[in-house]
Amino acid sequence: MKFKVPRGTQDILPSETWKWQQVEKIIDELCDLYRYKEIRTPIFEQTELFQRLVGDTTDVVQKEMYTFTDKGDRSLTLRPEGTAPVVRSFVENKMFGYPDQPVKLYYTGPMFRYERQQAGRYRQFVQFGAEAIGSADPAIDAEVIALALDVYKRAGLKHLKLVLNSLGDTECRTAHRKALVAHFGPHIGEFCADCQSRLEKNPLRILDCKVDHGHPLIASAPSLADYLNEESARYFEDVKSYLDNLGIEYEVDANLVRGLDYYNHTAFEIMSTSDGFGAITTLCGGGRYNGLAEEIGGPSAPGIGFAMSIERLLLAMEAEGKTFQEEPALDVYIVTLGEQARQPGFKLLGELRAAGIRSEMDYMDRKMKAQMKSADRLQARMVVLLGEDEVAEGVVQLKNMANGEQVKVPVAELIEKMKETLLG
Ligand code: ATP
Ligand code: MG
């Protein structure tokens, strides 16, 4: 029997993991810079959490969740996104009582959605997300957007576009919703089955439909922008001026609605405008979710956040021809010659590692020449040559692989000498 990775998932091999580690380093450093603290929540949650918070009418909840019943007859779901778990934890752990508000959190970890596999779309993918909960200050909207953009900038990306919209508050949404029902209602028979059920439950979703996106009634649908009340319009203006203040460019798109139900006011996406990037251009999505904490029994705690997948970030880097600087694999390779040199060589290996020098030796019983080849292949910066004569004399031959220089060094002085070479 042969086994393969499940459809929509991938093994990330050592030839790739180092890039992931570089991205994660950028994320950790930037979040520290912006004072966001890491939170780690479980991989699965009660199914109802996502049904309530992400929304019953969304594709994510209706079609994409990995839901199962455990042996205790509980319905659990592999998390399809990170905001609902973070807000659950915020409420459960009474973070609204922390003296420092807003509470600024971030996470990096796998998410699961039953989707059709294509480039940039997986069933298990890794999202980095950040959430600022507890403040309704438009400045924090701009901060969160700036953080997301900074990740891409540090990864070297240049071809980026920030798209922005306001979804307004409950009052605007209710008025707009009425207008949508009146607009689509008489013609709903021309739309897909999903849209027909969306009409009553959540007509805004029709604008986001992947099946009917070409229907002329979608282009002519009443725009949310015309239904923003004074307060929402002012909030949107404030967010934009904070972005202007940071020198961040954006485009306003009145049709940007986002795929999850919980958003209000600010909604945004960051796209790649690079030629090589293929059909899916969205790198990051986010928005404001005032009322989400209340929805699960918490106090009022307005929040804003975003999520991006590492997979799409790496694809965008590839499309723009950006790579990370690869670190030399190894400081020192110890080449031993003859049985007598083996134990002293192994002892030296231990001492080098204890001194923080990245070292390796042969475990395949290779001849000296093949050991030298290994050292080359592993890009060792130095080679220590140890034969029976050297052992007897208490010295080693130290070869600098960059210039081929070879010197005899007493074992007692070796580590000192190596540190010099590594630093120089
Ligand atoms: P899309 O329209 O591409 O399906 P979405 O609206 O479902 O995206 P969100 O739920 O907002 O996406 O997730 C935020 C980000 O997570 C996306 O912008 C994308 O970078 C990433 N993402 C979402 N789904 C996947 C997936 N199946 N595989 C890889 N990355 C994903
Ligand atoms: Mg999706």
Side-chain angles (χ1 to χ4, degrees), residues 59-60 64 113 115 121 125 208 210 258-260 312:
D59 277 358
V60 170
E64 298 173 0
R113 296 184 192 178
E115 301 213 64
R121 202 179 282 293
F125 55 100
D208 197 30
K210 284 174 178 124
R258 312 280 310 110
L260 315 174
R312 286 194 199 170

Side-chain angles (χ1 to χ4, degrees), residues 170-191:
T170 317
E171 186 186 270
C172 326
R173 296 277 288 264
T174 309
H176 181 238
R177 189 199 139 92
K178 250 193 188 153
L180 286 173
V181 173
H183 177 78
F184 288 114
H187 306 277
I188 198 66
E190 301 162 27
F191 286 79

Side-chain angles (χ1 to χ4, degrees), residues 141-155:
D141 299 40
E143 171 179 294
V144 158
I145 292 171
L147 170 59
L149 279 168
D150 266 355
V151 172
Y152 297 118
K153 287 181 194 157
R154 279 218 186 169

Side-chain angles (χ1 to χ4, degrees), residues 376-388:
D376 253 344
R377 200 173 39 242
L378 298 176
Q379 296 167 22
R381 296 172 64 186
M382 283 174 287
V383 163
V384 162
L385 280 156
L386 194 59
E388 287 166 11

Side-chain angles (χ1 to χ4, degrees), residues 8 59-60 64 80-81 111-116 118-128 152 208 210 258-260 262-263 268-270 280-286 306-313:
D59 277 358
V60 170
E64 298 173 0
E81 60 99 57
M111 305 293 161
F112 305 84
R113 296 184 192 178
Y114 190 77
E115 301 213 64
R116 274 197 30 203
Q118 51 181 296
R121 202 179 282 293
Y122 302 89
R123 290 183 178 172
Q124 175 175 333
F125 55 100
V126 175
Q127 272 186 343
F128 155 54
Y152 297 118
D208 197 30
K210 284 174 178 124
R258 312 280 310 110
L260 315 174
Y262 47 61
Y263 290 116
F268 68 94
E269 287 190 352
I270 299 169
I280 300 174
T281 56
T282 304
L283 299 177
C284 172
F306 66 78
M308 62 174 70
S309 72
I310 313 286
E311 286 84 354
R312 286 194 199 170
L313 186 159

